[in-house]
Each structure stands twice: as structure tokens, then as C-alpha cells.
Amino acid sequence: MSSDLKYSKDHEWVRIESDGVAVIGVTDFAAGQLGDVVYVDLPEAGAEITAGTEMGEIESTKSVSDLFSPIDGTVLEVNDEVVASPELVNASPFEDGWLIKASFDALPDDLMDAEEYAALVGS
Amino acid sequence: MADVGARSTVLHPVHERLGATFTDFAGWAMPVRYTSDLAEHRAVRESAGIFDLSHMGEIEVTGPGAGEALDNAFAGKLSVIGEGRAKYSLMLAPDGGVIDDVIVYRLGEERFLVVANASNYETVAAELRERAAGFDAVVADRSLEYALIAVQGPASADIVTRAVVGGETGLNVQDIAELKYYRVLQDTYQGEELLVARTGYTGEDGFELYVPVGRAADLWELLTEAGGDQLVPCGLASRDTLRLEAGMPLYGNELGRDLLPAQAGMGRVVALTSKGDFVGREAIEQTDVSGRRVLVGLTAEGRRAARAGSLLRGPDGSEVGVVTSGVLSPTLGHPIAMAYVDPALSEVGTQLVIDVRGKDLPAVVTALPFYSRD
């Protein structure tokens, strides 16, 4: 877990880059719960995303889970590498396994910091 | 997160030590994976995996009338199994529906062991007692007395041989080498009963070893040491993907009370001609199954897999079936599924469409199994 990230209760993380773009992924906790990720279905560039609503799917060998957007915004870029190699979500959830980049106006108030998220997942 | 089952096997501390993630399976806390589902799956296909299956049920049927009692209780003719052999069978309800699928081992002239699914063994034991009432046979549920450890994969014979030879058993190298598929060896381990069966649920060569629960941790350790780097602890996630690639049915998905054996392609498991009456016979004989949905395999392209419950549509857009199990095949790299489909659309090569959570996935009816070794 990283201190410069914000976390949602749905186990997504958000990192704000220096250019003001939000990078979004799933946490190592979520990746561990899912098992080996074998498929990700992500919104396309230009799509509007809304905090707390479904923006895609993430599948492991064992299960399918909805991906929920942690923010309101517009998708700027999709991580093609994670689409081609979904195992990056397990191998590198906070770095190479990022899912999308999005523009946004303001972050929702209910995003958690690392300490709050750690308490949520009991680590 | 899944609520973890209230019951745990005698090997639970071993799994905890190995860092397993647990899931509830039929009320049992079982390892779903230790590290990676895919790595565990691959280990069984390429080398070997070790599984704790102690949640499964073992029911002993003994006595001069044991064989006849089993013939009455199950769909197959079990009284003619030779000693040291195993047979797959089905327990049917009076209406012909499937109560459970089981393996029956003949351990002696008057001794059989019925191995039932974890979710069903209490029902199977109760039904067996009732169905054996008119026969000179005793039914004893030994499920909580036996542990079951499976070693599966191309390296399994070497590993089991290394483990049992000189490992406080009476077995020698030839015993394992000469043990044929669906046969069982009876021996001892640390002075107590050991059964070594060449059976499994993965589509690979493999063994299932039964010991009293008090010997299970030592036997696991013995096998693990013999296996070294060749043997990987495997959870239920890989067990499910392995059996699905091998086209093997899972009770609750491909088999159930609402399905007749013929629908699952198991008409031949039902011994209509070679034995007398048995529970379910009348219903099987009198039911016309020709219009009922049948079990098929489906393959598709891409990476997005259908799951149990996904509906199937035919060429005219009407609903023609439902997926019972589905996954992105780790070995084949494309989606596979088993499904019940209208018989008119069950021919191999038939093109169907699966509604995978709102998106259409074209699929083709494919002969089972999806994967077979060699």
C-alpha cells in the first residue's frame, strides 16, 4: 500500500499525477482475493465514469467481479498492456497493472487514505 | 469475501502454514489456492500437484449382502466389481434424478467403500442405510475417520513410489508401477490402513490415498518430501479448472436432482439390462428423455469466459440452454464451458451464442473432453 494513493471501499486506488490526471487500478488486497486475473474489461477512452458505479469487469479463473469507478470523470487512456496481459494486476497492482487514466474535477469525499484503507481490509 | 466454512479438515494447520487462502465448500473451510490458481493448474498438467480432499465422504458397506445392497441403492451393477477395483456410479432418487455421483471401491469379498461428494455424503449415508435395510449388510459413515490426499499429474507415479517405498508402508516399487487405472491397493501406513487408488479428477495420471485422519499430516509430509520441487500444493480453484478441461461433471453444476443420467451422457452408467430392481429404475424406464436438454461442451474465442448461469441462444435468437460451468481454459488459452442445450442443437459443430453478462459470445458445440493427456 502506498501513502500517495487514495482508496475506495470497492478496492480501487487513485493516484493523481503531476499533470492532474487520475490513474486508477485495483489494490493488492483485491488482486489477492480475486486470484489470478485472466481478463479485464475496461471502458474506452472518452467514456464518462461515475464514482461508485460499474465501469468494467475483472475476471479471475475462479470468479467475475465488477470494477467500480472511484471518481467522476472522463477516461483519457486505457492500459493496453494490462488488457493484453491481465496477470499484471496480480504482479504489479500499483504500477504496471494500472487500468485507466482519467480527467476529473474533484475527488469524492469518501475516498480513504492508506491508513483508513488498511483498517478496512484488516491489514 | 466468502464466509469460510465451519468445518475444517485435519490438514487445516498444514494449509495455514503453507499460506493457503480458504473458501467455503459445502460447509468446509478448504484451500481455494496456496499461491496462484494458474501455477497450481499448470503444475498438475506438467509435473504434479497435491490436494487435500478430506472433506469428501467415505461410507463403508460390509456384510454378505453388501454387493446386493449396493446394486439396489445405486444405478450401476456394483456386486460384480472385482476386489481391488473401483467403479464410478450414481445414486438416483425414485424419480430418476441424481442424488450424487460416487466412486465405489471393492476392498474385500464383503467390504465396499463408497466415496461421495462433501455436499452430499450425509444424504448418501442416510439413503444407503434405508436402501440396505432389507439386505444382510451394514452401512457405516466413516467420513470423519478417513483423510483423503490426492497426488495428480504426470510425475505422480514417481512421487508416490518414492514416498511409499520405505516410508512406513508395506508397498514396493512394482506395486505402484503395476497399479492400473481405477484399481486400489490395500496396505498399511504406520501400522494403520492405507488405500492407494489410481483415480482422480484432473484428466492426468494420478493417485488418491486414504488414511485414518491421525496419519494424514505425516502422509502429507511424506508425499511433500518425496515430491520436492515436482509437487505443488493445489487448491480447489485449480481442481475445478482441471476437471472442467477434462470434461468431468461437478455435482451441483452438471449433475443434480432435476437431471436424469441420460441428459448428462451417463445412460451407460445405469445398468438397466444386467441387474434387477434398483431405486430410480422405474422412472428411468418410463421417462422419455428425447426432448430434454443434454450436456455439451462449448468453446469460444477471446478471453472472456461464460460462467454458470449464462444463457444460450440459438440461430433464431430463442433461448436454447444454459451454461453450468465455464472458465478461460488455462491450458488451451480460450474460453470453455459445459452447458445443457436443446437436443436439436447439441451436435458437435453447432454454432450458438452465449449471453455473457449482457454481451454476446459466439460459441461452438465441442466434443468432451476439451483436454486429454497425450
Side-chain angles (χ1 to χ4, degrees), chain A residues 37-101:
Chain A
V37 174
V38 295
Y39 179 79
V40 290
D41 183 31
L42 299 174
E44 290 175 6
E48 301 289 323
I49 53 175
T50 306
T53 64
E54 189 194 324
M55 64 170 192
E57 282 182 347
I58 187 162
E59 287 194 36
S60 65
T61 51
K62 192 86 181 125
S63 64
V64 184
S65 301
D66 288 327
L67 281 170
F68 294 96
S69 175
I71 62 168
D72 294 334
T74 304
V75 178
L76 298 173
E77 188 183 343
V78 174
N79 185 355
D80 292 333
E81 285 187 26
V82 87
V83 172
S85 304
E87 63 273 15
L88 287 173
V89 174
N90 298 102
S92 180
F94 295 113
E95 300 294 337
D96 298 341
W98 65 273
L99 300 176
I100 58 169
K101 293 183 180 179

Side-chain angles (χ1 to χ4, degrees), chain B residues 215-275:
Chain B
R215 299 287 172 261
D218 281 355
L219 181 62
W220 179 282
E221 187 68 20
L222 180 70
L223 290 162
T224 300
E225 278 178 19
D229 294 343
Q230 285 183 294
L231 185 68
V232 172
C234 293
L236 294 185
S238 58
R239 182 167 161 84
D240 193 46
T241 51
L242 288 159
R243 70 91 193 167
L244 183 48
E245 285 185 344
M248 295 172 163
L250 172 64
Y251 191 88
N253 291 44
E254 285 76 36
L255 297 171
R257 293 265 186 154
D258 55 344
L259 292 161
L260 297 174
Q263 292 180 261
M266 292 191 181
R268 285 190 309 174
V269 176
V270 185
L272 288 177
T273 54
S274 63
K275 67 174 186 176

